[in-house]
Structures are given as C-alpha cells and as structure tokens.
Amino acid sequence: MEFFAARFAAFIGQAANFVWGPPLVFLVSGAGLFFFLYSRGLPFRHFQLALGVLAGKHDSTSSPGLVSHFQALSVALAATIGMGNIAGVAVAIKMGGPGAIFWMWISAILGMATKYFTCSLAVMYRGRDSDGVLQGGPMYVIVEGLGKRWKPLAIWFCIAGMAGCLPIFNANQLTQAVREIALEPAGIKSAGVASTVIGLTLMALTGAVVFGGLKRISHATALLVPAMVVVYVAAVVGIILLNIAEVPKYLTLIFTDAFGANFFSGEPIFGGALGGLILLGVRRAAFSNEAGLGTAPMAHGAAKTSEPVHEGLVAMLGPVIDTLIVCTMTALAILMTGVWQTGDGDGVTLTANAFEVAYPGFGGYILLICILAFGISSLFSYSYYGMKCFSFLFGAGRVNIYAAFYVGTILLGAVSSMGVILNFIDLSFALMSIPTLVSALILSPKVVAETRRYFARKNERQAVEARQDS
C-alpha cells in the first residue's frame, strides 16, 4: 500500500510540474499582460470608483443577483486570503528564496487586469441553473458568450473545478497548525489521533455552513474576512516595526534574488535557473490570488448588479489586498526574523516560527487565531465554488451530493501529507485556468466595448449634472 501511495504521489508531482511549465505560465502571465495593454490600463485608473462600488454607493435594489458587492468580494477573498498567504508564501520562499516574491508581485499586477476581464464577463454572460436561479462563472461565460458548441470547454472547467476546490490543502494546513502550535507544546504527541479529531471538528463546522447555501456562506465570510485581515495585518505590522531598519535590506534582497543571485553572497539561487524561479513565483501567486483560475468569477457573478464594469473593478481589488499587501507582509515577517535560513519547518510551520521569534511565548498563538479564521472561511468559500461546478454538470437539485463529498474530504486532507496535496491542487488549478483564460481572451473585445460604453455614459451623466449645477 505504501508503495502505491508513493508512486501516486510521485505521479501527481510530475504531472503538476509538467502542467505548470512554460506554456501555462506564458498563458497566465501573457493573458494578464494582454488584458492590461488591450484595455490601456483603464480599470487601474479608477480605484476610487472601485472603492465606492464596494462601499455600496452604486447599489440598486432592483439589480439582478444574489449578494452585495462586499459579500461577493468577501467570498472571493475568503478563498484567496487564506493558506495561500500564510503557507503558500512560506513554501515559495523555502523553495525559491526571497526572489520568488518579486515574481508573485508581477503576477499579481497582471492578475488585476485578468480579474477585471474575467469578472466583468461573469456578469455580462450570466446563465440560469436547473432551478432557474441566475448564476455566473466561467462555465456560463463559455456557454452563454461563446455558444453551445463550446460546452465541452465548460465541462472541462467544472470537472477541474470540483477537484481544485476541494478543501484538502486548507484542512491539512489547519490541522498542522493546531497540532504543532497548540497540541504538541501541551504534551499531546499522538499526531494520528490529533489529526483525526481536528479533521472531524472541521467537518462539523464546515457542514453547518455549507449546507445553508451561498447566503449563509457569504454572511459567514463577510463577518470573518474583515476581522481576520485586521488581526493578521496588525500582527505582521508589529513584526515589521520591530525590525523597521531591516526593511530596505530585505526589499532589496527580494529584487536582487528575483534575477538569480543572492544579494549577500552573490551565489545563484534556485539552481541558477531564473526561468524556474519565475515559474515558482507565478505558480504560488496563482495559488494565492487565483487570478485567471475562474474561482473569483463564480463569486462575483452572483453579485447584485447590472453593471459588469462595477463588478470587474471590485474584483480587481482582490490581488491588491491579497498578494501585494498581505503576501508581502508575510514574506517580510519570514525574512526579517531569519527563520527562512534555519531549514526548520515548511508551509504554515515556517510562518509560525517567524511569529514565535518576533513574539516569544505567544506569537504562535496569535498566528493560530489568524489561521483558524483564514482556514475556516476558506473551507466555506471553496465549497460554494465546487457546488456551482457540480450544479452546472448534474443539476442544482443534486448539489448536496457534492457538499457531502466536500465535507468528507476534509478528514482526508487533515491526515495526509502536504506534498501530494499541494501538487494535486496545483494540477487542478492549472487545468481550471485553461478554459477560463481561453474564453476570456476570445471575449475580451466585448469587455473593452462594455467598458467604453460604461465610462461614456458616466461622463455624459457628469456633464449633464455639471450643466444643471451651473
């Protein structure tokens, strides 16, 4: 049995590395660059409007949809601001050194344009599920925007989405954090029993929310996400302030290592392969902010709005909050405390070590609180994505079948090793991104045309108001 498990783990690892090769990285990064240039950076000039939409200034009770802009962004951020920020950043630094963070930044900036296009399309081309409820997401964009003959591409996305949105990585890292930060210091050493108990507890918590559907999920994440971001950011800002004199040094290190040489020793990192470092940065950024994967359009496609541009602008804020702010803070905490050079721990354990070094005796517990909020909210939001994919394929009336399977895999993730789980999720995410980006590239002229129409109407309204005021 162990032999077959090892062979399966090796196969998944090889498959993930193969799929996340230069062609896919070129697709993910190239699509973002294309979206940015094709729109002439127009969405990036309207952050104030994006914040206004998020605050509800442009809401209309008569608009179609299920949740508010803020709730839609909360569901999306609950998935992105989670283990990708705490564990994913640590994995990137552990595998590729500080330079991997630079390529995460580049990927996030391009990802802002990608999210604008994919989430605008999610509102432009909404469809109805088997219960007649208005839904959005890449599968509906493909069928409604490209036509029925493209449905195999939508099916491809949904199959990959049901796998990629499973909670196994989040459950694994939650379990590891609780076990290593809380249980083992208390003398509870039985890893197998502890992991099983934690897994069963997470199953109960998740099941209580996910069987309540999108509205219960969105309400839960709208409560958890703002609080968890504030606590986590405050804790990491404290670490940065304790080491404020070191900030320029480590920011420089991120830039210099990004191009293949260690700032202090001059030695090449990541085997001297700049291409490999870029692949790692893009792969980890995709895991963190999910731009181009197709998950966020499923959340934003449910927003109450009749203006696709509004939702595209709100979605664009995701990579800014997730990668450019939260991931950078995590990276600085790990680098400044020096734990990345010790060789001890990986994933969430490495970040926990950084917190413990900064706040001796209680730092690990601060992180544990954040991890619980991050991880549990991610379990909620990913269930919504997987259920939407299942509903598209098999009908909304059968969605609780996937919900039950989803909740059951939490225990599998809790008792499994991180390596095979991370590779499985990476592989699934890669397969999700292909139909998402292909459809978005084909339909990109529609987004640009809608964007121009929106701002033309907006400018005309402002001109009329100005004439009336005068």
Side-chain angles (χ1 to χ4, degrees):
M1 192 67 174
E2 291 183 3
F3 171 77
F4 288 110
R7 292 292 297 271
F8 176 74
F11 169 76
I12 292 295
Q14 291 169 359
N17 290 331
F18 172 77
V19 173
W20 275 106
L24 183 63
V25 169
F26 177 78
L27 174 63
V28 173
S29 302
L33 181 60
F34 170 79
F35 294 141
F36 177 83
L37 296 176
Y38 187 39
S39 66
R40 298 179 182 179
L42 182 64
F44 294 77
R45 302 197 297 270
H46 296 279
F47 273 89
Q48 185 175 355
L49 175 59
L51 294 173
V53 174
L54 183 62
K57 293 181 180 179
H58 302 272
D59 285 356
S60 172
T61 55
S62 62
S63 295
L66 299 174
V67 296
S68 69
H69 295 289
F70 180 77
Q71 288 174 325
L73 183 63
S74 294
V75 172
L77 286 177
T80 57
I81 299 185
M83 290 301 143
N85 300 85
I86 297 176
V89 172
V91 169
I93 293 174
K94 189 77 171 181
M95 293 178 64
I101 304 304
F102 174 83
W103 297 110
M104 289 181 70
W105 290 342
I106 298 299
S107 184
I109 292 169
L110 298 179
M112 291 166 62
T114 299
K115 280 207 172 182
Y116 176 78
F117 273 75
T118 56
C119 293
S120 293
L121 285 169
V123 175
M124 291 173 66
Y125 295 105
R126 291 195 272 205
R128 295 192 180 275
D129 61 22
S130 59
D131 285 347
V133 178
L134 198 64
Q135 301 283 3
M139 56 284 213
Y140 293 100
V141 169
I142 292 167
V143 173
E144 303 293 330
L146 297 178
K148 300 293 184 183
R149 68 184 185 278
W150 289 83
K151 190 170 182 178
L153 198 64
I155 294 172
W156 172 351
F157 172 80
C158 289
I159 293 172
M162 288 189 296
C165 294
L166 289 175
I168 48 179
F169 178 76
N170 288 319
N172 176 273
Q173 291 294 279
L174 269 170
T175 302
Q176 182 178 329
V178 173
R179 200 177 60 237
E180 296 184 2
I181 297 173
L183 299 185
E184 290 181 4
I188 302 173
K189 301 292 186 181
S190 180
V193 174
S195 296
T196 301
V197 172
I198 296 167
L200 291 172
T201 304
L202 292 174
M203 284 176 61
L205 287 172
T206 305
V209 173
V210 303
F211 285 103
L214 173 61
K215 290 194 174 179
R216 189 179 296 177
I217 293 169
S218 64
H219 286 309
T221 54
L223 289 173
L224 280 173
V225 170
M228 72 185 186
V229 170
V230 169
V231 172
Y232 185 73
V233 168
V236 179
V237 166
I239 296 176
I240 294 172
L241 291 176
L242 289 172
N243 301 273
I244 193 66
E246 302 292 306
V247 171
K249 170 178 145 181
Y250 284 106
L251 286 176
T252 302
L253 176 61
I254 290 172
F255 278 96
T256 54
D257 270 16
F259 297 95
N262 185 283
F263 179 68
F264 297 112
S265 67
E267 295 295 323
I269 61 166
F270 208 68
L274 176 60
L277 185 58
I278 295 173
L279 294 181
L280 175 66
V282 173
R283 184 169 166 178
R284 295 276 63 82
F287 184 80
S288 174
N289 63 54
E290 300 176 14
L293 301 186
T295 51
M298 287 191 275
H300 289 284
K304 288 183 178 179
T305 184
S306 55
E307 292 285 4
V309 170
H310 283 175
E311 205 55 38
L313 289 172
V314 170
M316 186 185 67
L317 298 173
V320 177
I321 299 169
D322 173 270
T323 304
L324 298 182
I325 297 176
V326 181
C327 282
T328 300
M329 288 184 166
T330 301
L332 287 174
I334 292 171
L335 295 174
M336 288 176 168
T337 53
V339 297
W340 63 288
Q341 295 177 309
T342 65
D344 297 330
D346 60 0
V348 70
T349 305
L350 189 64
T351 311
N353 291 343
F355 270 65
E356 192 59 34
V357 168
Y359 307 115
F362 63 92
Y365 295 103
I366 295 176
L367 183 63
L368 181 59
I369 293 170
C370 297
I371 288 170
L372 289 173
F374 280 158
I376 291 172
S377 63
S378 295
L379 294 179
F380 299 161
S381 57
Y382 273 122
S383 69
Y384 171 65
Y385 298 147
M387 287 190 290
K388 282 194 73 165
C389 292
F390 184 92
S391 174
F392 181 86
L393 293 178
F394 304 107
R398 300 185 179 93
V399 74
N400 280 344
I401 297 173
Y402 180 84
F405 176 74
Y406 177 94
V407 172
T409 59
I410 292 175
L411 182 60
L412 175 66
V415 299
S416 301
S417 65
M418 186 186 75
V420 65
I421 287 175
L422 188 59
N423 286 325
F424 177 80
I425 297 299
D426 277 345
L427 175 61
S428 301
F429 278 180
L431 296 176
M432 291 169 66
S433 69
I434 295 171
T436 300
L437 292 173
V438 167
S439 60
L441 287 167
I442 295 172
L443 292 169
S444 57
K446 304 287 188 181
V447 178
V448 171
E450 177 62 29
T451 302
R452 288 172 179 165
R453 282 194 296 268
Y454 170 81
F455 282 106
R457 293 194 306 270
K458 184 173 183 291
N459 292 337
E460 186 177 345
R461 285 195 303 270
Q462 289 176 339
V464 170
E465 290 171 0
R467 286 196 298 268
Q468 290 174 344
D469 291 340
S470 61

